[in-house]
Amino acid sequence: MSKLTIAISSRALFDLEESHRVYIEEGVESYCKYQIEHEDELLPEGTAFLLVKKLLSLNDGASDKPKVEVVLLSKNSADTVLRIFNSIQAHNLDIPRAAFTIGQTPYRYVKPFSVDLFLSADGEDVAEALALGFAAATIVPSKISNQDSDQ
């Protein structure tokens, strides 16, 4: 049995709305400065965080062959991702592979990573992936908080 490989965008995994606001309103340079200045601050859980935790929990007690792999696809550049990696580590998420596209759409990494499903908070990225024949879905905010749904 082969493993299920899910690619997730950093904005779906973590709540990056404040830093995304800086990017939109002040540009790339201010965004990079903001991320570097806040790299030691843990990122809050995003809309797909609980889903990722539950998918990765399918590997609990599994042999040396995981059932699920989660790959991070991010529009960030390598110099701004320390905050994301610090948050992945702090939340004890087993996400060993990632690609950083420096603002480019991340769907181009779906095929090289053998991704079965691409999940993103960016509907345009999802539409582009779908147009190329990849399975993809937009993650939208839930009205139920992650704490309320831990059942």
Side-chain angles (χ1 to χ4, degrees):
M1 181 169 106
S2 63
K3 68 183 170 194
L4 173 66
T5 303
I6 306 289
I8 188 86
S9 69
S10 54
R11 280 185 54 216
L13 182 60
F14 294 114
D15 180 352
L16 290 166
E17 291 312 307
E18 177 59 26
S19 55
H20 187 66
R21 183 197 58 73
V22 171
Y23 172 77
I24 296 297
E25 293 177 5
E26 300 176 30
V28 174
E29 193 173 310
S30 292
Y31 171 80
C32 290
K33 182 179 177 187
Y34 178 88
Q35 287 295 61
I36 291 168
E37 287 173 352
H38 294 89
E39 65 188 21
D40 292 328
E41 294 175 19
L42 188 64
L43 288 166
E45 299 173 5
T47 55
F49 184 88
L50 184 60
L51 174 63
V52 168
K53 286 285 277 191
K54 289 184 178 194
L55 286 168
L56 289 172
S57 75
L58 295 172
N59 295 331
D60 292 349
S63 63
D64 58 342
K65 293 185 178 184
K67 297 174 184 171
V68 176
E69 177 186 27
V70 175
V71 176
L72 181 73
L73 298 182
S74 175
K75 289 183 179 179
N76 281 286
S77 62
D79 61 340
T80 63
V81 298
L82 186 56
R83 187 175 185 200
I84 294 169
F85 277 125
N86 287 344
S87 297
I88 287 171
Q89 185 176 17
H91 287 291
N92 199 29
L93 298 173
D94 184 17
I95 302 177
R97 297 195 301 160
F100 304 98
T101 66
I102 312 170
Q104 301 299 311
T105 56
Y107 68 84
R108 68 185 66 188
Y109 289 92
V110 169
K111 188 173 183 178
F113 278 119
S114 299
V115 168
D116 298 299
L117 177 62
F118 170 56
L119 302 173
S120 176
D122 188 322
E124 289 180 25
D125 287 345
V126 168
E128 289 182 46
L130 288 169
L132 292 171
F134 298 117
T138 305
I139 296 292
V140 295
S142 170
K143 293 180 179 163
I144 301 172
S145 75
N146 287 349
Q147 291 78 22
D148 294 341
S149 59
D150 277 345
Q151 300 173 3

